[in-house]
Amino acid sequence: MTVIQRLSDAKEVDGALQRAKDEAERQISLMRGIAVDVIGDDRNVVVGVNGSVARREVTSGSDVDLFFLVRNGDFERAKDTQSAFREKLREAGIKMPAHDGVFENPLLVEDLLQKIGGEADTNEFTTRRMLFLLEGEWLHNPDGFREVRIDLISNYVDNEIDDRKLCRYLLNDIIRYWRTICVDFEQKTAEGAKPRAIRLIKLRFARMMLYFGGVAAICKTMDMPAAEKRETLRQVFAIPPIDRLKDVFGVTETRPVLAAYATFLNSLNDANIRGQLSLAGRSGMDTNEYSELVEVAREFRSALETLIVGPDSRHRDIASALLL
């Protein structure tokens, strides 16, 4: 007996993606309004959101991953502002994540920009930098947010890069982040009580979409001068990964990818399916829900591979860079 609903019809696929996007836009609009009330015109703080809300992929179980960036080092004031903002969001019915994550405390803008590689670039800095770049969306201080993204891109793409060259420095950091996620998954789910099935399904869909959205952005910059590469990256990173793939590879070409991804989002939006995937430890991996979504995940990965290495692909150079 089939448990999940496979979406293949274009209207069904587009409908599922649009519902997730509409709810994300509603939450972003609500949070921006609350930010105005709580933070006012303070330009020393940049507030944004990562995760499913930023990617416009909200389902019924989604929470909100906030981040605070600080200029001039006033951490105590930023912490107070962050606490007040979080409380107002809870009062408004916004689901907040658990405490003690990598975004628990504000971060200096300089740390986000400068600690790329080396011993100082811990998992926390890598995570915050990559998520800001690949999926971040502003909630307060859009000009400040835009400036940080421009500066970060400039640190990866300088004027010395040749038109024909890939933005390999950035690509390598994106690849490194993806591999780190995959390796860390095992450590984070090693304890028996933590639900493994839903985390693995999210890894194989949402995290992979995030990674591939970064690869797509690099594809977009081929055969461009350095300044144009930087501006193109800024523009492409400002749109959700789903729209990014359609922009870079074409709507028709991405249909198989989007059908699998819409099936994933539609399934997570079903409380019964999500409940089965969230069973403690490995129990969720013994369910029909998990088995069926694993099969869809294989199709999703195969469709992504086709975009890069398929017979009609125009992106052989980046396919080679992903290997070597």
Side-chain angles (χ1 to χ4, degrees):
M1 176 182 175
T2 302
V3 181
I4 67 169
Q5 179 186 5
R6 281 179 171 262
L7 303 183
S8 57
D9 178 77
K11 288 185 177 180
E12 290 181 337
V13 170
D14 291 344
L17 297 178
Q18 190 62 49
R19 285 191 295 274
K21 189 173 187 177
D22 288 346
E23 177 56 21
E25 294 289 1
R26 184 193 71 80
Q27 292 190 24
I28 289 171
S29 179
L30 175 62
M31 289 188 287
R32 285 175 176 171
I34 294 173
V36 171
D37 294 337
V38 174
I39 307 173
D41 60 355
D42 187 349
R43 291 296 178 262
N44 285 322
V45 173
V46 173
V47 183
V49 63
N50 293 318
S52 58
V53 174
R55 295 191 307 271
R56 302 334 192 254
E57 300 171 8
V58 171
T59 61
S60 58
S62 296
D63 57 18
V64 171
D65 294 323
L66 297 176
F67 64 83
F68 272 62
L69 301 177
V70 186
R71 295 188 186 275
N72 302 321
D74 193 349
F75 275 101
E76 292 308 314
R77 180 180 178 185
K79 285 182 179 180
D80 292 341
T81 301
Q82 179 176 270
S83 295
F85 185 53
R86 285 174 176 268
E87 184 57 34
K88 287 294 184 181
L89 294 184
R90 289 189 188 93
E91 292 174 2
I94 298 293
K95 184 179 180 181
M96 305 300 295
H99 285 292
D100 300 325
V102 296
F103 298 98
E104 181 68 16
N105 294 308
L107 179 70
L108 275 176
V109 168
E110 290 77 9
D111 285 339
L112 187 76
L113 296 177
Q114 296 173 5
K115 294 184 178 180
I116 304 177
E119 293 182 1
D121 191 9
T122 62
N123 270 13
E124 178 177 342
F125 286 122
T126 301
T127 298
R128 297 188 73 154
R129 181 175 67 252
M130 284 289 101
L131 293 185
F132 175 87
L133 195 60
L134 297 178
E135 68 178 16
E137 181 61 275
W138 71 271
L139 296 179
H140 167 75
N141 194 359
D143 292 338
F145 179 95
R146 183 176 182 274
E147 289 170 6
V148 174
R149 181 168 268 167
I150 289 172
D151 289 344
L152 185 53
I153 291 170
S154 296
N155 285 349
Y156 284 109
V157 186
D158 61 28
N159 287 325
E160 301 302 315
I161 190 170
D162 187 87
D163 296 8
R164 296 168 297 173
K165 297 292 187 180
L166 289 169
C167 300
R168 196 177 286 262
Y169 181 19
L170 174 57
L171 178 62
N172 284 338
D173 211 17
I174 293 170
I175 294 170
R176 177 177 69 150
Y177 176 59
W178 164 241
R179 294 306 184 190
T180 299
I181 293 173
C182 294
V183 172
D184 285 354
F185 168 80
E186 296 297 333
Q187 182 270 327
K188 291 178 179 178
T189 59
E191 297 180 13
K194 291 184 177 180
R196 186 176 175 91
I198 192 166
R199 284 176 166 84
L200 187 54
I201 290 299
K202 287 181 177 180
L203 177 69
R204 298 183 68 172
F205 281 102
R207 305 295 182 266
M208 190 176 290
M209 175 65 87
L210 175 68
Y211 163 60
F212 203 85
V215 174
I218 303 295
C219 288
K220 184 79 170 179
T221 66
M222 290 290 292
D223 299 320
M224 293 179 178
E228 190 175 350
K229 288 181 190 292
R230 290 193 292 268
E231 175 58 18
T232 298
L233 287 170
R234 185 196 67 78
Q235 293 178 6
V236 175
F237 282 139
I239 61 177
I242 289 173
D243 294 334
R244 205 178 300 161
L245 262 62
K246 290 190 287 186
D247 176 67
V248 174
F249 298 108
V251 174
T252 301
E253 290 79 1
T254 54
R255 274 293 169 194
V257 171
L258 299 184
Y261 204 72
T263 297
F264 156 68
L265 291 178
N266 195 57
S267 298
L268 280 195
N269 205 39
D270 185 304
N272 292 327
I273 295 175
R274 193 180 189 105
Q276 290 297 103
L277 296 175
S278 300
L279 292 174
R282 295 177 174 270
S283 299
M285 301 176 73
D286 296 326
T287 64
N288 291 334
E289 288 82 355
Y290 176 77
S291 297
E292 291 178 23
L293 281 172
V294 165
E295 183 59 36
V296 179
R298 293 192 185 102
E299 296 168 8
F300 177 63
R301 177 177 176 174
S302 177
L304 289 175
E305 288 177 351
T306 298
L307 292 179
I308 292 291
V309 300
D312 299 321
S313 176
R314 305 184 304 276
H315 303 286
R316 298 296 175 85
D317 288 346
I318 200 166
S320 176
L322 293 174
L323 295 172
L324 300 172

